[in-house]
Amino acid sequence: MIARTLIFLIVLIGFSAHAQDQALTGFADRRGEILPDEQFEDETGARIAISSYFGKPFFLAFAYHSCPQLCGLVLSAFTEGLRGLPELVGNDFDVVVVSIDPSDTSERSAAAKQRYVARYGGGGSGWHFLTGNADSIHALANAAGFNFLYDPIQKTFVHPAGVFFVKRHGIVGGHIEQTTFSSDDLQKLVVGGDGDASSPWNRLCGALRFGGGARTPGVMAALRFGIVFVVIALGGAALVAVRRRRIRGAFH
């Protein structure tokens, strides 16, 4: 049992180091950057360029349809926050949700759109759910400032929780990094605030897989230190146990 635990913790150390090497830092500040004109498929299966949405401001969210918990939590909370805004989706701004999973399909996007439009109300005007290939996804995510990677151990995507606001002409206006979205927070982005509302608890929860957030370098370093400490402690306990068995054996 102790040997298995040690192996598991050593694997965690390696993976956490790999995560930091991949610059998994949640959201990066890309305010003022212009999004690249990447090609995607919308929920109807039609090919569309991201620049098709540059005519009006839009909220931009990255998610994936098979996400076990976090994406649904974020999009549901985001939709509830939108309900409290005086501005309307489809009239004053759009909502664009891009899947970070290249294997996602337009059929899944259509189902997701129907689900969140039903929460928000209205006929679905201004809601866009996109899928694309890995190159297009990463190009758009990098430009916006959304850092994520695929976890081959758990076969899920490690990603932060939050949404972006993109101004006209595809200019990144800011972001909110959290799993709950008040109408006031969203309103600040809509009227031109700098956004970037962030909760340290969300970051910690993300690092420990209890909820949303980003695995920041500081958190990852703390986790690695904690894991190393536990490994050393367990190793010491194992050595003590072995030594005691030998001592007992010597007297029998």
Side-chain angles (χ1 to χ4, degrees):
M1 178 64 182
I2 293 177
R4 290 181 180 178
T5 303
L6 287 172
I7 292 172
F8 174 71
L9 290 173
I10 290 170
V11 170
L12 282 181
I13 293 172
F15 180 72
S16 65
H18 175 71
Q20 183 163 339
D21 288 342
Q22 293 297 315
L24 186 61
T25 58
F27 287 88
D29 186 359
R30 298 284 192 269
R31 284 172 290 184
E33 295 290 327
I34 299 176
L35 297 179
D37 192 17
E38 297 294 328
Q39 296 285 322
F40 294 90
E41 285 189 1
D42 67 12
E43 67 278 357
T44 69
R47 196 73 175 165
I48 192 164
I50 199 71
S51 61
S52 300
Y53 310 120
F54 287 2
K56 68 171 65 171
F58 62 90
F59 280 99
L60 173 64
F62 292 92
Y64 68 107
H65 300 312
S66 59
C67 183
Q69 180 183 11
L70 184 58
C71 295
L73 179 68
V74 169
L75 291 178
S76 295
F78 171 58
T79 303
E80 289 302 314
L82 289 175
R83 287 165 56 91
L85 292 179
E87 295 86 359
L88 299 175
V89 178
N91 184 21
D92 301 292
F93 56 81
D94 283 358
V95 172
V96 178
V97 180
V98 178
S99 173
I100 59 176
D101 185 353
S103 68
D104 267 337
T105 64
S106 55
E107 289 79 11
R108 286 181 172 181
S109 293
K113 177 178 178 177
Q114 184 177 10
R115 188 162 58 249
Y116 293 109
V117 167
R119 285 175 176 264
Y120 180 77
S125 174
W127 291 80
H128 314 280
F129 284 73
L130 310 182
T131 55
N133 60 47
D135 290 341
S136 294
I137 293 168
H138 280 282
L140 184 66
N142 289 339
F146 186 87
N147 298 318
F148 71 97
L149 63 80
Y150 180 70
D151 180 351
I153 298 174
Q154 301 193 46
K155 297 183 179 180
T156 57
F157 289 86
V158 182
H159 62 89
V163 297
F164 296 89
F165 188 73
V166 181
K167 301 176 182 179
R168 293 180 187 273
H169 311 300
I171 301 172
V172 179
H175 68 268
I176 299 176
E177 180 184 357
Q178 52 198 43
T179 55
T180 58
F181 304 89
S182 71
S183 298
D184 288 341
D185 287 338
L186 296 178
Q187 179 70 16
K188 290 177 183 178
L189 288 181
V190 172
V191 299
D194 57 9
D196 197 17
S198 178
S199 166
W201 176 244
N202 284 340
R203 288 174 172 266
L204 182 60
C205 287
L208 298 178
R209 284 196 175 279
F210 294 147
R215 299 182 183 185
T216 65
V219 169
M220 294 307 296
L223 286 176
R224 281 199 297 277
F225 176 81
I227 291 170
V228 170
F229 178 81
V230 172
V231 168
I232 293 173
L234 287 175
L239 290 174
V240 170
V242 170
R243 187 173 182 181
R244 285 178 178 175
R245 291 195 198 100
R246 289 177 178 175
I247 294 173
R248 291 195 190 102
F251 286 95
H252 288 84

